[in-house]
Amino acid sequence: RRLEGALETYMDWLAADYGEPVPGGLRLGVDCAHGAAHLAGPRLLRRVGVHVQAIGDAPDGRNINAGVGSTHLDALAELVRSHGLDGGLAFDGDADRCLAVDSRGRPVNGDAVIAALAIDRHRRGALDAGRVVVTSMTNLGFHRLMAEHGIAVEVTDVGDRYVLERMLATGATLGGEQSGHVIDLVHHTTGDGLATALMLLAALARLDTDLDAVAELVTPFPQRLVAVPADRAALPGARAVWQAVRAAEAELGADGRVVLRASGTEQVVRVMVEAADETQCQAICDRLAGIVRREIGV
């Protein structure tokens, strides 16, 4: 049965927990992905003082995420540039994620969003356990930035359930993924894109900064990611593969990293390499992908 007043109750809760001051006169594009945020997103942001221009706010039952939302930032970037806005916020279809673009339409991914939130909380003494939890896909540039600010970083496998598990185990209350899925254990145990949006805007106000600066906050290391068709069950026992990984890690030292993981849904092994030098990054990734293909490829 229909729960009357659910939308208002939800927005009241978000405004009460996260509706802190936002930068004055902020003009933002808001992309609701023709999904769950199509009503609450624009209304809530207007409620806290943002001047909103919305797109992706007309779901018809079939167009969810179709060329819009956090998985397709080009539409929002064009809106922001063409109307001279201060930036934009993009939700995904079920509104558990939030990414952004700056005034030039440059993407602000989850690494940058989490970095801004962590730095803001750390400066206020509100970063519980003095740490933040991210996944193995988080760029090495994020780790370097956190180290500069004296913030510890916990790394988990990809997936918000693993992030939550590590947060509960370590006492951290902030964690998330590059995709814009952010968990704030101060108030709840799952990702909520609208809560993330309000947290980000409040952090901008407290840090006296803007989305242009946040877009440049994390200096990303060159990254290469290859999905190799392979027998994922054979990966743990593939000695030649892991020998090659250890050799690559020794070659990179502190200036890079290697992540090999079997997909949880496909017969592929994902090879990710980050390095300070782009040419070296590509060469190591190609080499490791070739060894995976040779040893356990299908």
Side-chain angles (χ1 to χ4, degrees), residues 52-182:
V52 171
Q53 291 199 35
I55 60 173
D57 58 346
D60 63 11
R62 295 178 179 272
N63 60 354
I64 188 168
N65 290 324
V68 289
S70 62
T71 54
H72 301 89
L73 289 176
D74 289 348
L76 180 61
E78 177 56 32
L79 173 73
V80 167
R81 287 192 296 262
S82 63
H83 288 81
L85 304 178
D86 299 311
L89 299 169
F91 307 107
D92 62 332
D94 62 355
D96 64 346
R97 291 185 280 163
C98 178
L99 296 181
V101 299
D102 72 358
S103 67
R104 289 188 273 169
R106 296 181 299 175
V108 179
N109 71 10
D111 287 356
V113 171
I114 296 168
L117 298 180
I119 291 169
D120 169 48
R121 291 189 181 191
H122 185 62
R123 289 185 179 179
R124 294 185 289 121
L127 187 66
D128 293 322
R131 67 191 62 233
V132 63
V133 179
V134 295
T135 76
S136 59
M137 299 306 292
T138 294
N139 193 275
L140 189 57
F142 175 92
H143 294 261
R144 292 290 177 89
L145 178 66
M146 293 298 97
E148 291 172 9
H149 287 270
I151 297 171
V153 179
E154 296 280 339
V155 180
T156 75
D157 289 337
V158 175
D160 58 287
R161 68 184 178 121
Y162 299 114
V163 173
L164 177 59
E165 285 176 2
R166 186 66 63 84
M167 292 171 72
L168 292 170
T170 61
T173 54
L174 179 65
E177 300 184 272
Q178 265 186 346
S179 63
H181 193 125
V182 176

